[in-house]
Amino acid sequence: MAKNEIKKMLTSKLYFAGSPEAVALRMRAKKMTHRFNQMIDLDVNQKNDLLKELLGRIGTNSYIEPPFRIDYGRYTTIGNHFYANYDCIFIDVAPITIGNDVFLGPRVSLYTAGHPIDAAIRNEELEYGKPITIGNSAWIGGNTVINPGVTIGSNVVIGSGSVVTKNVPDNVVAVGNPCHVLREITPEDHAYWQQQKDIYLHDND
């Protein structure tokens, strides 16, 4: 039965979160994140090794600032050149998939877990999850909450403090609670930031 509960969990069906296997997997992740959060900055290689063991996948040149919290770990996959600032929380009762070159500000929370609106069913500890997907080259501002079932496109900027309840398309700036598209990212944006980079490089000559 326990294995069936995990299968239900990962396929967005109602499942019992207190099943023995689910509890054991969460305890594994809790122990590993505790170890990770106790490591000093000099332990970079050890941190990376621990993250590779904890997570489903984490790519090269990726770094997570402690403290960090995650429910299962093994259901989260992360691409290359990823950075998460302090106090990020991943509730991965459904798959969390993050692309390459993604930056998370402090206290970004990815919540795949959902609970029934009906209190009687909710009180029986039945819950469900819906996957979260973040594309490539996304920057998620601090204190953003991403809710179950959301897909965020590539080359997206999410303003700090946003609560993302619906999908966000590619190449936009989105902000607010609930999060909405503010504007598209344009060639003029690229030209401006290229100019700022040129100034930076000139100043360093």
Side-chain angles (χ1 to χ4, degrees):
M1 176 181 173
K3 290 184 179 179
N4 289 335
E5 295 301 307
I6 294 295
K7 183 176 180 181
K8 293 171 189 173
M9 180 182 83
L10 294 173
T11 53
S12 299
K13 297 177 181 177
L14 282 179
Y15 75 99
F16 176 53
S19 70
E21 187 184 26
V23 171
L25 290 174
R26 289 198 303 274
M27 185 56 64
R28 168 189 176 270
K30 187 173 292 188
K31 289 177 179 178
M32 294 177 74
T33 51
H34 176 76
R35 284 169 50 200
F36 176 82
N37 290 331
Q38 299 304 309
M39 290 180 174
I40 61 173
D41 289 342
L42 296 178
D43 295 331
V44 174
N45 290 333
Q46 292 182 37
K47 283 182 179 178
N48 289 341
D49 289 342
L50 186 56
L51 288 175
K52 288 176 183 177
E53 184 180 355
L54 170 64
L55 302 176
R57 179 184 181 273
I58 186 165
T60 59
N61 299 317
S62 294
Y63 188 79
I64 296 175
E65 295 278 5
F68 166 66
R69 295 287 186 272
I70 196 164
D71 252 18
Y72 291 92
R74 60 176 57 191
Y75 307 125
T76 294
T77 59
I78 297 172
N80 300 326
H81 196 218
F82 169 80
Y83 176 77
N85 214 318
Y86 306 108
D87 289 328
C88 287
I89 300 174
F90 293 5
I91 306 298
D92 60 343
V93 306
I96 293 174
T97 305
I98 300 174
N100 300 320
D101 302 298
V102 173
F103 300 165
L104 305 185
R107 298 192 175 97
V108 168
S109 299
L110 310 182
Y111 298 154
T112 67
H115 301 271
I117 291 176
D118 182 82
I121 304 301
R122 185 172 65 245
N123 293 343
E124 294 179 26
E125 297 182 46
L126 294 177
E127 58 183 75
Y128 63 92
K130 292 185 178 180
I132 289 173
T133 302
I134 301 174
N136 298 321
S137 299
W139 171 27
I140 314 297
N143 288 297
T144 291
V145 173
I146 300 176
N147 278 275
V150 166
T151 294
I152 293 176
S154 294
N155 194 32
V156 166
V157 176
I158 304 292
S160 60
S162 295
V163 178
V164 189
T165 60
K166 295 181 179 179
N167 294 347
V168 178
D170 295 346
N171 304 308
V172 298
V173 177
V175 300
N177 180 8
C179 188
H180 61 280
V181 174
L182 182 65
R183 66 177 182 87
E184 292 184 354
I185 295 173
T186 66
E188 288 76 17
D189 289 308
H190 175 73
Y192 173 79
W193 288 107
Q194 183 62 52
Q195 181 186 51
Q196 296 304 305
K197 176 184 172 182
D198 292 342
I199 292 170
Y200 165 78
L201 294 173
H202 179 267
D203 289 343
N204 286 339
D205 283 346

